[in-house]
């Protein structure tokens, strides 16, 4: 069985110099409630991953975002979450709206740099957060501009 593609965003305060990372706490299902994740969701038929991400962020957070670079995972560019799901993740910056926890989440929290791992992330997301920390730390401030803006 082919895993379902989900898309998510590492919503940061500034694509050029990220200091804050937005984490979303799951409200449902009960097995995931209270754990933190990246906002996003499944790609629907006929959507590109980027279109799906924009739609999901509007639905979940009530925001319009600018996308930066994709944080490529070790599994053909994706992050394997389970046997059923693989995820692609982009940096994103809020351009308009909220953010507010509209669907599936009961709290949002802006985590300061150095504290991005300080909430109980979903198990599958921990290594992705570690990858974000390493990616951001690996660039000098002036080089971060290469994170750029895309879709």
């Amino acid at each position: 069985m082919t895993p379902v593609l989900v898309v998510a965003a590492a919503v940061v305060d500034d694509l050029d110099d990220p200091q804050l990372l937005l984490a979303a706490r799951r409200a449902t299902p009960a097995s995931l409630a209270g754990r933190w994740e990246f906002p996003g969701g499944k790609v629907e038929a006929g959507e590109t991953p980027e279109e799906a991400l924009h739609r999901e962020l509007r639905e979940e957070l009530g925001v319009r975002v600018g996308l930066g670079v994709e944080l490529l995972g070790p599994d053909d560019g994706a992050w394997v979450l389970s046997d059923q799901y693989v995820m692609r993740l982009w940096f994103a910056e809020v351009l308009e709206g909220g953010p507010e926890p509209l669907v599936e989440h009961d709290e949002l929290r802006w985590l300061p740099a150095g504290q991005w791992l300080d909430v109980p992330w979903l198990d599958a997301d921990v290594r992705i957060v570690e990858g974000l920390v390493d990616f951001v730390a690996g660039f000098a401030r002036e080089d971060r501009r290469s994170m750029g803006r895309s879709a």
Side-chain angles (χ1 to χ4, degrees), residues 7-27:
V7 292
V11 179
V12 294
D13 59 323
D14 185 340
L15 288 175
D16 295 331
D17 187 18
Q19 295 299 309
L20 300 173
L21 173 67
L22 186 69
R25 188 172 68 183
R26 294 286 313 209

Side-chain angles (χ1 to χ4, degrees), residues 80-133:
V80 173
L81 302 178
S82 69
D83 291 339
Q84 297 176 333
Y85 298 101
V86 296
M87 183 168 75
R88 291 179 59 190
L89 181 109
W90 283 264
F91 282 91
E93 180 180 4
V94 174
L95 300 176
E96 184 179 294
E100 299 177 52
L102 301 175
V103 179
E104 298 178 358
H105 304 106
D106 62 0
E107 183 180 342
L108 301 176
R109 187 178 298 170
W110 286 102
L111 303 172
Q115 297 177 24
W116 289 5
L117 287 159
D118 288 1
V119 296
W121 291 92
L122 294 174
D123 292 343
D125 287 357
V126 171
R127 71 185 178 122
I128 302 169
V129 178
E130 292 170 344
L132 285 172
V133 170

